[in-house]
Amino acid sequence: GESVGLHLPTLSVQEGDNSIINCAYSNSASDYFIWYKQESGKGPQFIIDIRSNMDKRQGQRVTVLLNKTVKHLSLQIAATQPGDSAVYFCAENRANQGGKLIFGQGTELSVKP
Amino acid sequence: DAGVIQSPRHEVTEMGQEVTLRCKPISGHDYLFWYRQTMMRGLELLIYFNNNVPIDDSGMPEDRFSAKMPNASFSTLKIQPSEPRDSAVYFCASTRDAMGETQYFGPGTRLLVL
């Protein structure tokens, strides 16, 4: 079937540690992926994106890795801070479906001080 | 840029009433999306527009839901009549290009139908 899913619904890390959030996708036609962060009471906020012609992209404290062979995406957050506590969604842009953005179920990241 | 603007931020209404949600996309963005978010179903795409024209409304739950985009800077999502199961957070998002460009979300409208 067609789906974007997350392996873990919740993740708890210690402040200062690195966080890794995983995501699986099933549509090989997908060519653009986005990670969003959603804080309580707010809309999803763009964090970082990656296109299918890349396997790694880095931002400020965040890195996205794309493994097209196994259709797997991950978000790495370095030196996790309390402000990183939120729900993180991966989203898949399906070029063969008019550019629809399909969201995963979300992973809740909790940072312990 | 003010970002995507939605109103109202909160809406409480009684079953059977008409509800109208409003959205102003980011200036210059040709695509506008309406999403619904619930705990059970996550983020669902309801409908999206390109240059004010509805492109895909396959996510609209039923005939009680309708969306319009009369011009490039304004869209509405209407529910008539509303039902308790419509209670959710409704997000509007916009982007310059749906193919490989980030969608920017508004703050959402929290709808509670009693």
Side-chain angles (χ1 to χ4, degrees), chain A residues 36 38 41 51 93 98 100, chain B residues 37 48 56 91 100 102-103 110:
Chain A
Y36 285 90
Q38 186 176 22
R51 300 187 188 278
N93 191 222
K100 282 184 178 181
Chain B
Q37 186 176 40
Y48 77 93
D56 187 340
F91 289 104
T102 301
Q103 293 180 23
R110 279 151 185 77

Side-chain angles (χ1 to χ4, degrees), chain A residues 32 34 36 38 41-44 46 49 51 89 93 95 97-101 103, chain B residues 9 35 37 43 45 48 56 58 91 98-107 110:
Chain A
Y32 179 59
I34 309 167
Y36 285 90
Q38 186 176 22
K42 298 183 179 180
F46 169 83
D49 57 2
R51 300 187 188 278
F89 294 94
N93 191 222
Q97 293 187 18
K100 282 184 178 181
L101 202 60
F103 282 82
Chain B
R9 294 293 311 275
Y35 291 89
Q37 186 176 40
L43 265 166
L45 176 65
Y48 77 93
D56 187 340
S58 60
F91 289 104
M99 311 288 279
E101 292 283 339
T102 301
Q103 293 180 23
Y104 294 90
F105 283 75
R110 279 151 185 77

Side-chain angles (χ1 to χ4, degrees), chain A residues 1-66:
Chain A
E2 298 180 341
S3 65
V4 177
L6 291 166
H7 295 313
L8 295 173
T10 60
L11 177 65
S12 183
V13 300
Q14 203 71 37
E15 180 178 358
D17 288 351
N18 296 334
S19 302
I20 299 176
I21 301 172
N22 297 302
C23 178
Y25 67 96
S26 59
N27 191 329
S28 58
S30 296
D31 57 3
Y32 179 59
F33 304 87
I34 309 167
W35 280 101
Y36 285 90
K37 171 186 180 183
Q38 186 176 22
E39 296 174 281
S40 181
K42 298 183 179 180
Q45 177 186 8
F46 169 83
I47 302 174
I48 192 168
D49 57 2
I50 189 167
R51 300 187 188 278
S52 58
N53 60 352
M54 304 172 67
D55 53 19
K56 180 179 180 179
R57 191 163 188 220
Q58 289 184 292
Q60 186 177 12
R61 285 200 306 118
V62 294
T63 300
V64 55
L65 300 178
L66 176 62

Side-chain angles (χ1 to χ4, degrees), chain B residues 5-113:
Chain B
I5 299 173
Q6 291 186 249
S7 66
R9 294 293 311 275
H10 302 272
E11 178 80 26
V12 180
T13 190
E14 292 184 346
M15 183 174 63
Q17 296 298 306
E18 178 180 293
V19 175
T20 299
L21 312 181
R22 299 173 176 79
C23 175
K24 176 178 169 53
I26 294 172
S27 178
H29 283 192
D30 293 333
Y31 287 82
L32 183 143
F33 302 79
W34 282 101
Y35 291 89
R36 179 171 67 177
Q37 186 176 40
T38 61
M39 290 295 292
M40 292 297 294
R41 301 174 67 91
L43 265 166
E44 303 175 275
L45 176 65
L46 300 177
I47 184 172
Y48 77 93
F49 295 82
N50 178 22
N51 291 323
N52 314 335
V53 177
I55 303 300
D56 187 340
D57 64 355
S58 60
M60 296 286 264
E62 48 197 274
D63 292 344
R64 297 184 298 105
F65 285 69
S66 63
K68 294 182 179 179
M69 192 164 186
N71 57 62
S73 60
F74 183 66
S75 177
T76 59
L77 177 68
K78 186 175 292 186
I79 308 173
Q80 167 61 21
S82 59
E83 297 182 2
R85 60 188 169 129
D86 301 331
S87 298
V89 182
Y90 291 82
F91 289 104
C92 177
S94 71
T95 185
R96 288 181 303 178
D97 185 349
M99 311 288 279
E101 292 283 339
T102 301
Q103 293 180 23
Y104 294 90
F105 283 75
T109 295
R110 279 151 185 77
L111 174 65
L112 177 61
V113 183

